[in-house]
Amino acid sequence: MTIKAFVIGHPINHSRSPLIHRTWLAEHGIDGSYEPIDVPPDALPAFFDRLRSGEFAGGNVTIPHKQTVFALCDEVDPLARTIGAVNTLVVRDSKVLGSNTDYLGFLGNLDAGAPQWERSAQPAIVLGAGGAARAILVALQNRQIPVHLLNRTLATAESLAADIGGAITPGALSDFNALAPAAGLVVNTTSIGLHGTRFEGFDLGRLPDNGLVTDIVYAPLLTPLLADAKARGLRTVDGLGMLLHQAVPGFAAWFGVAPQVTPALRRAVEASLEP
């Protein structure tokens, strides 16, 4: 019997998840399917009824549903509650289990792109205190890396640091240059980098020579922040690998095979991003 999985969102045509998972299905010769399904917010309860009926093994959740599905899941992983979003659903015994694999995607991307990065990453600077930052903070806590959380609005950084807890020190974006000489890792979780936008007044030359800069934005692959870091001879890791690596746990849960993030898969997804 064909094993069915999905990605839901509204809209959904932008998602690269079908390309990723269909590549793995073909690679492993699995009798399975992975479909993008546009589900408006008011149709989510009915869709979860379909899940509990056994129609699907599970699937992914993208915008704008990552928070809404909390109330519809029968169980939610504690880490997903800390992160504040669910991106992966697994159906077992007519129950829908929610989790978040973004933090695994972030760590998997750095592990592949800059092996042993955590040896020189302390402390890290995380830029932005929105929803995307939460998974990154959880990931860095997993590796016991203290963080300076810098945000345009200091109060927002203070609130998020208090909510997550642990070794997170809030600050303003204007603190970057003062903190840079001791920072081994810089992570951009903001939308700055889209449409050619850039951080004003950042002196990346103040970072250590072995510093690592990464951006969770993957369109464009080379954001202005990463381009500036490369120009200064710093190590960089783009955001595409996070998308690829976060998909691995879900595929393994639905189809029973742990797939690999290969150069060929990356090239296929890169090609799909080209205008």
Side-chain angles (χ1 to χ4, degrees):
M1 186 176 72
T2 301
I3 302 170
K4 296 172 63 178
F6 60 83
V7 57
I8 56 170
H10 184 68
I12 197 59
N13 289 339
H14 66 282
S15 176
R16 297 309 192 279
S17 292
L19 173 57
I20 295 168
H21 290 281
R22 289 169 179 172
T23 297
W24 285 334
L25 286 170
E27 186 177 296
H28 292 283
I30 294 171
D31 182 9
S33 67
Y34 186 97
E35 300 298 328
I37 304 175
D38 191 318
V39 180
D42 59 1
L44 274 175
F47 185 79
F48 268 67
D49 288 340
R50 291 173 63 185
L51 290 185
R52 293 187 181 92
S53 75
E55 182 177 347
F56 300 96
N60 290 120
V61 181
T62 189
I63 54 174
H65 300 323
K66 287 187 173 187
Q67 290 79 36
T68 311
V69 298
F70 267 87
L72 296 171
C73 290
D74 297 296
E75 295 178 25
V76 175
D77 179 87
L79 271 178
R81 292 198 179 278
T82 300
I83 293 169
V86 165
N87 75 340
T88 303
L89 304 173
V90 176
V91 181
R92 289 193 183 134
D93 301 323
S94 301
K95 291 185 177 181
V96 182
L97 315 179
S99 62
N100 188 300
T101 63
D102 283 336
Y103 80 101
L104 293 173
F106 174 78
L107 294 175
N109 187 30
L110 290 192
D111 288 343
Q116 301 181 336
W117 60 273
E118 65 268 41
R119 290 187 177 182
S120 58
Q122 303 188 35
I125 294 176
V126 173
L127 305 172
R134 300 181 72 98
I136 306 307
L137 294 173
V138 168
L140 293 173
Q141 282 192 338
N142 178 270
R143 298 290 175 92
Q144 300 180 325
I145 295 171
V147 172
H148 290 285
L149 177 63
L150 307 186
N151 193 56
R152 181 176 285 110
T153 304
L154 176 58
T156 305
E158 290 173 337
S159 176
L160 179 55
D163 193 24
I164 300 290
I168 303 172
T169 304
L173 289 178
S174 57
D175 296 330
F176 179 86
N177 288 344
L179 296 170
L185 171 68
V186 176
V187 186
N188 177 33
T189 74
T190 76
S191 60
I192 294 175
L194 296 172
H195 314 298
T197 54
R198 63 192 334 119
F199 291 97
E200 297 298 331
F202 278 20
D203 183 2
L204 298 186
R206 294 177 64 84
L207 291 167
D209 291 342
N210 65 344
L212 172 63
V213 180
T214 187
D215 202 318
I216 68 169
V217 169
Y218 60 85
L221 279 176
L222 186 63
T223 63
L225 179 67
L226 295 183
D228 289 346
K230 278 180 176 290
R232 285 161 176 75
L234 298 169
R235 295 180 298 159
T236 62
V237 174
D238 64 47
L240 181 56
M242 181 173 171
L243 173 71
L244 302 177
H245 285 276
Q246 65 80 30
V248 171
F251 189 93
W254 310 319
F255 300 111
V257 174
Q260 298 296 311
V261 175
T262 62
L265 175 62
R266 181 185 169 90
R267 287 193 298 270
V269 178
E270 276 188 31
S272 78
L273 297 174
E274 294 175 359

